[in-house]
Amino acid sequence: MEKSADGATVTAADINGASERYQQTAVNLFFQRMVKAGFVHQSDTPPFRYTVLKRQPNYPLVTEGGSISKMGLGQQYMWNIMRRSPRGFTIAEIAANASTDDVVINVRSAKKYILRLERAGVLKLLTKLDAGQRGQKAHVYVLPGSQNSGPKAPRLHKATLVYDPNSGSVKGDVLTEEDRT
């Protein structure tokens, strides 16, 4: 986006020059996906030049086949509903209200996301309500205004680390990976 800001075309080599050498394959795959998805146009002859057709504020996640990836949309849709629910919400309400024709959020996924956000201090358990069935309670959660950090949904990550219980410290680098569930 930066190299084509004035409408100029770019080559994979232009981008490779701005990144690590070993990233050449990744850059070529990126351009292939962006062409399939219609975000960029590729010239007909080598060296291929690319023109941005659809400027995006955020990096579009595109599958190998060129379709827009739905990864993370469920969490984004749930976050959108949480931000618009000042009186609180239940897990079942989030699952139902955040689902669309393209992205269906099951109760188990909503529960996992909500409980992780609660554990992190983002959501607060407001109250327990009678769910209507004998002996069953529905938990009502709320997103406090101080935790409403913006439109982008908090993402769940898994971490790999080495913990030394003798010193009570983490040794080396912490490696994280986005939780795709």
Side-chain angles (χ1 to χ4, degrees):
M1 294 300 288
E2 191 177 293
K3 290 187 177 280
S4 66
D6 59 358
T9 61
V10 296
T11 65
D14 294 334
I15 305 303
N16 282 336
S19 64
E20 302 294 331
R21 282 209 156 136
Y22 64 88
Q23 295 289 343
Q24 182 175 357
T25 302
V27 171
N28 290 333
L29 288 173
F30 167 79
F31 276 120
Q32 288 174 11
R33 288 179 180 197
M34 292 299 117
V35 168
K36 284 181 183 177
F39 287 103
V40 299
H41 176 271
Q42 176 182 297
S43 65
D44 295 330
T45 58
F48 296 116
R49 300 201 65 78
Y50 299 94
T51 307
V52 176
L53 299 175
K54 299 178 187 174
R55 295 187 91 61
Q56 302 291 306
N58 297 312
Y59 172 79
L61 293 176
V62 178
T63 65
E64 289 179 28
S67 61
I68 303 298
S69 172
K70 294 179 183 171
M71 186 181 97
L73 285 181
Q75 291 178 5
Q76 183 62 54
Y77 294 166
M78 287 187 279
W79 181 248
N80 293 345
I81 298 297
M82 290 175 197
R83 293 182 70 220
R84 293 192 305 252
S85 303
R87 293 185 178 164
F89 49 84
T90 66
I91 291 169
E93 288 171 343
I94 288 294
N97 294 331
S99 291
T100 66
D101 291 341
D102 294 332
V103 178
V104 177
I105 299 163
N106 63 45
V107 173
R108 196 174 96 226
S109 295
K111 181 176 182 176
K112 178 181 178 180
Y113 189 61
I114 288 170
L115 293 179
R116 292 274 304 270
L117 291 181
E118 181 197 14
R119 198 174 313 135
V122 175
L123 298 178
K124 300 292 180 207
L125 177 60
L126 187 61
T127 186
K128 294 181 182 181
L129 293 178
D130 211 0
Q133 294 179 5
R134 206 167 93 192
Q136 194 176 38
K137 299 282 184 185
H139 294 83
V140 177
Y141 298 89
V142 68
L143 174 65
S146 62
Q147 295 298 319
N148 188 351
S149 57
K152 293 181 183 177
R155 296 180 176 174
L156 304 183
H157 279 253
K158 295 178 182 177
T160 302
L161 55 94
V162 176
Y163 175 74
D164 181 355
N166 300 304
S167 65
S169 63
V170 174
K171 302 292 186 182
D173 294 332
V174 176
L175 304 173
T176 67
E177 177 181 318
E178 189 164 0
D179 187 348
R180 295 175 183 243
T181 57

